[in-house]
Each structure stands twice: as C-alpha cells, then as structure tokens.
C-alpha cells in the first residue's frame, strides 16, 4: 500500500524578493510536495523534510562573495520567478529522441521529477536488480533504502537541503550482492517546459551491494523537437541530487549527460560513498543549460578504492558551466584519477574547481588531477583551481591545469595537406574531446556526443 501526501499551496517566487525571501518562497513551495510512498515510511519522510527545511532556512543563497561560488554569478537565476512544475505526460514522440538503442528495454524515465511508467521499460534487466521508483520498491527493501537517502556528507548544503525538502519522487537503482548487470541502465530526467518558469527537484539513489556491478547513464534533457540544448525562450530550474553507494568489491560505471535547454538553470549534486576494494567511474558531459553547476563529492569509506573521474564541458553563446569536485581519501591505498576538459566558445565561461584531500592516515595514496581547457574565442573565459591538500607523507599525487587556443602550427599543417580551414579546426577539436569520449561505455552515446562536438563548435 502507498499513500500520497498532499502538496502545499503554490507560492510564486518573485524577482522583487531579497535573496532570503527568494529562498523562503522556494522552500514554501517545496514543503509538502506531493509524493507516493509506502504508508509505513510517512513519518520518516516528514522528519527528513522538516530537518532539511530547517537546514536550508538557516542559510542563504550563495553569492560571489562566497569562496566556493566566487566565479559563478547566480543573479539571473535569483531574478527569475519560478513556480513548481506540474505533472505532465508527454507524447512518446517527445521522449523517443532521448533514448539509446543499448538501453531500449532498460530505461527509467522521470518527467518533471516524477516517475513516468508510460515511457519506462526495464523488461531486459535480470533478476537481482531493482530499477523503478521508491513507491515500487518492496516494503522490506524500502526500509533499507531510507538508511541511504539523505545520509551523505554535505546534505546540509543549501541546494541539497532544498531538494530534500520537496523531492516529488525518488529514482532507485539497486543491485543485490554479487549481481553483475551487463545491460546498461538509462535513467532519464526530462523537463516539460510550461508557460511560466518552473522548477523541479529530481532525486535518485544508486546502490551496488557487495560484489555487484552496474553501468548507469543519468541524463537531463528537455522535451524538444530538435537539439534539446538549444534555447527555447522557456526558462526553468532543475535542482537534482543523486546519491551513489558502492559497497565492498562492487563496481559502478556512472555517466552523467546534461543537455538541458539553453535557457535552463541546472544545479546538480552527485554524492558518492565507496567501501573497501570498490571501483567507481564517473563520466560527466555538460553541454546544455544557460547556467549549470555540478557538485561531485566522493568519500572513501575503506582501503584500496579506485576512483576515476572523466569530464567534458562543451559550451558557447553566454553559457556558464561550473564543475566543483571533491575527493576525500580517508584510508590507505586509494587511487583516484581526474581528467576534466573544457571547450569554450563565444562569450561562454567555464569554471573548474577540483579538490583532493589526503590526510595523514591515507598512506600510499595515488592521486592525479588535470584540467585542460581550449578557448575558441577571444571573449571565452576559463577559471580553474585544481587543489591538493596532503598531510600524508608516503603518497604519489599530482595536479595541474592548462589553458590554450587551437595551435596555429597544427592548423597550418593540416591545411598544407589539402584540408580546408573549417575541417582542420574540427579535426583538432575532435582529437581534443576524443580522450574523454573514448572512455564512455556506450557506442551510441559516444557517437551522439561526437556529433555534438562537431555541430556545437560555433562560428
């Protein structure tokens, strides 16, 4: 049996509000958000929402005076009046362009943060893995799930707390112990734009129990007739949280594809906990949104973990894309390697801040971090801040950053071989992006993003 909690009245967020009033209006809209869950956990949910609302209310919206936000201007977001997104069921034709052939029968779709059974199909998945929403999860497993939801470090951060105050549903991907899931799972969060600017709060939970293995593609898009990341003149705000728990000896290959509308605001938290001998790979692809921010936090919970973070940001026009990552290696023999690349055109602005923390007890750690940036326009901008905080003395750690333009000598060499200037430029861009694209687990995804690199390099 499940129950449906009633929503609170809609409160319009106004551009005339102060930042504190703006946050308060978002909280009031989020509180009491409609959700279907088992009746037995209503008390847990109410307590979670009350605690999160309190945490958020004690804070304020970040500004450029805050160190973690000093390169990211949220003024346009805070000047946009939002209302809570409504429940809609798009036509199948609106979802079809977002599907991938490798996951045709392992696809879970949420529209405006709510599970959409009409567009989901998980019939190809084996026994031992659950893919659905929280209301579908058997009650005995639900009791286990609520031990994970909102139990990561950083839950009190203002946008995360806002999500916890009012998420309307929870996507759940759960692999039981020693279950190897060969079929990739495609988790699609779609926004259906409305006349007024809207906001939604998608939430997800991925658990790989001891010895399990999963491949997950998490995608954010908008219903659109053509390229989903082009401007639509319909702004909206997506504030999402994905929690990932990789238990002992488990493996998770996790790809995040962000192709929001070019008018959207997208703030995303990925919180990862890795147990002993676990392996986690995260591939991030940021192509859409007028303003996007990805907070990627990885916490080591045991020895001998392996963490591989690969990222590609491809932006133009006046887009702002901000990637903030943190890896906390709290045990010995941990390995982490982070490579993030940015291709920035026109007046776009890319931000990268990566932090790797290696305390005294994390001996024999191997950590590497590199941010490489390619500017295609004199007005394109990059701010980069790779960081290592090391107190252990028996470690191997490196970090660095590069910012460059297309090499004129390489361009001349290709043209001297009969390749025209545009084709030569695209070849060099393809080569720059290929190091990330080659690490993507799905061939159709690699092909799709490669096409984006070709068509999104603005003239």
């Amino acid at each position: 049996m499940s129950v449906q909690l009633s929503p609170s009245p809609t409160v319009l967020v106004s551009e005339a509000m102060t930042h504190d009033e703006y946050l308060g209006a978002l909280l009031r809209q989020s509180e009491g958000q409609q959700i279907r869950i088992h009746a037995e956990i209503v008390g847990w949910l109410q307590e979670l929402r009350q605690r999160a609302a309190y945490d958020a209310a004690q804070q304020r919206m970040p500004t450029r005076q805050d160190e973690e936000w000093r390169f990211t201007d949220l003024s346009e977001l805070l000047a946009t009046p939002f209302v809570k997104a409504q429940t809609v069921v798009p036509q199948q034709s609106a979802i079809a362009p977002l599907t991938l052939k490798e996951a045709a029968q392992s696809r879970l779709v949420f529209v405006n943060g709510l599970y959409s059974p009409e567009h989901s199909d998980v019939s190809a998945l084996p026994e031992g893995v659950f893919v659905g929403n929280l209301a579908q999860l058997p009650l005995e497993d639900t009791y286990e799930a609520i031990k994970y939801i909102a139990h990561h470090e950083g839950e009190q951060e203002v946008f995360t707390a806002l999500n916890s105050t009012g998420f309307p549903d929870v996507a759940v991907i759960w692999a039981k112990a020693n279950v190897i899931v060969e079929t990739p799972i495609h988790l699609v969060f779609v926004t259906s734009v409305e006349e007024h600017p809207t906001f939604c709060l998608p939430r997800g939970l991925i658990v790989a129990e001891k010895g399990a293995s999963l491949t997950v593609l998490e995608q954010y898009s908008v219903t659109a007739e053509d390229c989903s990341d082009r401007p639509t003149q319909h702004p909206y705000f997506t504030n999402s949280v994905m929690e990932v728990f990789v238990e002992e000896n488990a493996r998770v290959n996790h790809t995040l594809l962000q192709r929001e509308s070019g008018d959207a605001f997208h703030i995303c938290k990925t919180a990862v906990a890795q147990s002993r001998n676990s392996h986690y790979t995260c591939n991030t692809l940021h192509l859409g949104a007028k303003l996007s921010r990805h907070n990627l936090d990885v916490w080591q919970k045991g020895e001998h973990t392996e963490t591989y973070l690969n990222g590609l940001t491809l932006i133009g026009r006046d887009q702002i894309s901000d990637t903030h990552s943190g890896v906390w290696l709290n045990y010995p023999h941990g390995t982490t390697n982070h490579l993030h690349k940015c291709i920035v055109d026109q007046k776009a602005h890319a931000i990268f801040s990566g932090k790797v923390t290696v305390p005294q007890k994390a001996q024999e750690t191997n950590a590497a971090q590199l941010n490489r940036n390619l500017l295609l326009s004199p007005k394109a901008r990059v701010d980069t801040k790779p960081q290592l905080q090391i107190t252990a003395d028996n470690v191997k750690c490196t970090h660095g950053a590069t910012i460059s333009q297309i090499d004129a000598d390489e361009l001349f060499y290709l043209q001297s071989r009969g390749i025209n200037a545009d084709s030569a430029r695209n070849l060099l861009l393809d080569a720059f992006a290929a190091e990330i694209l080659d690490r993507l687990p799905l061939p159709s995804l690699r092909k799709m993003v490669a096409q984006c690199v070709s068509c999104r390099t603005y003239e």
Side-chain angles (χ1 to χ4, degrees):
M1 176 184 177
S2 65
V3 299
Q4 181 171 312
L5 300 184
S6 299
S8 56
T10 298
V11 180
L12 185 67
V13 177
S14 167
E15 57 185 331
M17 293 179 174
T18 67
H19 288 185
D20 288 345
E21 292 171 339
Y22 187 95
L23 176 59
L26 286 177
L27 284 171
R28 287 192 294 277
Q29 288 200 75
S30 302
E31 290 172 343
Q33 167 69 52
Q34 184 175 359
I35 185 172
R36 290 185 180 275
I37 56 172
H38 291 287
E40 291 82 352
I41 64 167
V42 168
W44 161 82
L45 180 64
Q46 291 175 338
E47 181 181 348
L48 168 62
R49 286 182 165 177
Q50 290 170 2
R51 183 174 68 248
Y54 175 82
D55 289 339
Q58 301 308 304
Q59 304 178 68
R60 57 177 176 79
M61 284 294 192
T63 69
R64 296 186 66 179
Q65 294 181 352
D66 298 298
E67 178 62 25
E68 294 299 312
W69 292 85
R70 67 189 181 102
F71 296 122
T72 307
D73 186 0
L74 295 179
S75 58
E76 191 167 357
L77 167 68
L78 301 178
T80 305
F82 291 107
V83 295
K84 188 166 52 182
Q86 301 301 307
T87 302
V88 297
V89 181
Q91 297 293 323
Q92 289 287 352
S93 58
I95 304 298
L98 308 177
T99 61
L100 297 174
K101 63 180 182 180
E102 295 95 337
Q105 294 177 303
S106 55
R107 180 180 67 253
L108 188 64
V109 178
F110 285 69
V111 180
N112 290 350
L114 290 163
Y115 172 58
S116 178
E118 298 87 352
H119 302 102
S120 301
D121 183 352
V122 296
S123 58
L125 293 172
E127 292 185 7
V129 59
F130 173 86
V131 177
N133 71 342
L134 190 61
Q136 294 176 307
L137 196 64
L139 182 58
E140 59 272 20
D141 293 329
T142 301
Y143 286 129
E144 291 300 313
I146 64 177
K147 296 177 183 177
Y148 290 96
I149 297 172
H151 280 83
H152 65 271
E153 288 86 347
E155 172 65 24
Q156 292 75 30
E157 184 269 332
V158 63
F159 287 106
T160 305
L162 176 61
N163 181 286
S164 296
T165 299
F167 56 80
D169 211 336
V170 183
V172 180
I173 299 174
W174 194 304
K176 294 294 187 179
N178 301 313
V179 173
I180 308 300
V181 185
E182 301 287 352
T183 305
I185 299 167
H186 191 187
L187 175 56
V188 187
F189 291 105
V190 183
T191 297
S192 180
V193 296
E194 302 174 27
E195 181 180 353
H196 299 289
T198 60
F199 78 96
C200 63
L201 306 170
R203 186 82 178 213
L205 172 67
I206 300 173
V207 179
E209 292 187 10
K210 183 177 180 179
S213 178
L214 283 170
T215 299
V216 178
L217 168 60
E218 174 190 356
Q219 179 174 351
Y220 295 88
S221 293
V222 65
T223 53
E225 295 181 358
D226 51 12
C227 183
S228 67
D229 43 86
R230 291 177 179 171
T232 63
Q233 308 306 315
H234 291 88
Y236 61 91
F237 175 28
T238 300
N239 178 31
S240 70
V241 174
M242 179 63 65
E243 296 171 287
V244 184
F245 294 86
V246 193
E247 303 294 356
E248 185 175 350
N249 291 312
R251 302 176 69 90
V252 172
N253 191 322
H254 179 200
T255 300
L256 187 151
L257 172 61
Q258 186 271 107
R259 296 194 68 188
E260 301 275 24
S261 157
D263 299 303
F265 302 92
H266 179 94
I267 295 179
C268 174
K269 161 69 78 66
T270 304
V272 184
Q274 284 189 254
S275 298
R276 178 184 175 89
N277 292 319
S278 64
H279 186 288
Y280 176 73
T281 298
C282 185
N283 309 296
T284 60
L285 304 164
H286 295 285
L287 309 179
K290 186 169 189 177
L291 183 151
S292 66
R293 164 81 172 224
H294 183 205
N295 296 309
L296 172 58
D297 294 341
V298 182
W299 294 84
Q300 183 194 38
K301 301 295 185 178
E303 298 182 3
H304 295 282
T305 59
E306 294 184 42
T307 308
Y308 299 96
L309 310 178
N310 311 300
L312 176 65
T313 296
L314 174 62
I315 54 174
R317 300 184 298 271
D318 58 351
Q319 289 178 276
I320 299 172
S321 182
D322 183 350
T323 297
H324 266 62
S325 69
V327 180
W328 287 266
L329 299 166
N330 297 313
Y331 293 84
H333 307 289
T335 297
T336 179
N337 193 314
H338 190 178
L339 173 63
H340 191 90
K341 291 189 170 187
C342 300
I343 301 175
V344 190
D345 203 356
Q346 295 182 330
K347 298 180 181 179
H349 181 194
I351 301 109
F352 174 81
S353 177
K355 181 186 297 182
V356 179
T357 303
V358 187
Q360 179 64 30
K361 62 181 180 180
Q363 299 295 334
E364 299 190 46
T365 287
N366 188 342
Q369 182 186 85
L370 177 61
N371 174 221
R372 296 187 61 197
N373 303 278
L374 191 60
L375 303 183
L376 305 183
S377 163
K379 295 184 179 181
R381 177 182 171 188
V382 168
D383 287 292
T384 179
K385 187 181 179 183
Q387 305 167 73
L388 286 174
Q389 297 182 355
I390 306 171
T391 53
D393 50 15
N394 184 15
V395 297
K396 180 181 179 182
C397 298
T398 63
H399 73 303
T402 64
I403 301 175
S404 62
Q405 299 174 322
I406 289 180
D407 190 292
D409 290 338
E410 292 177 352
L411 199 61
F412 175 78
Y413 174 82
L414 291 174
Q415 290 180 267
S416 70
R417 296 302 187 267
I419 302 174
N420 65 50
D422 289 341
S423 297
R425 178 177 181 268
N426 287 336
L427 277 174
L428 293 174
L429 293 174
D430 290 344
F432 183 83
E435 190 174 3
I436 300 298
L437 301 189
D438 288 346
R439 302 179 186 188
L440 300 180
L442 306 181
S444 62
L445 178 62
R446 290 196 294 270
K447 181 179 179 181
M448 181 189 71
V449 180
Q451 290 173 341
C452 289
V453 173
S454 298
C455 73
R456 289 283 306 275
T457 50
Y458 305 93
E459 297 298 332

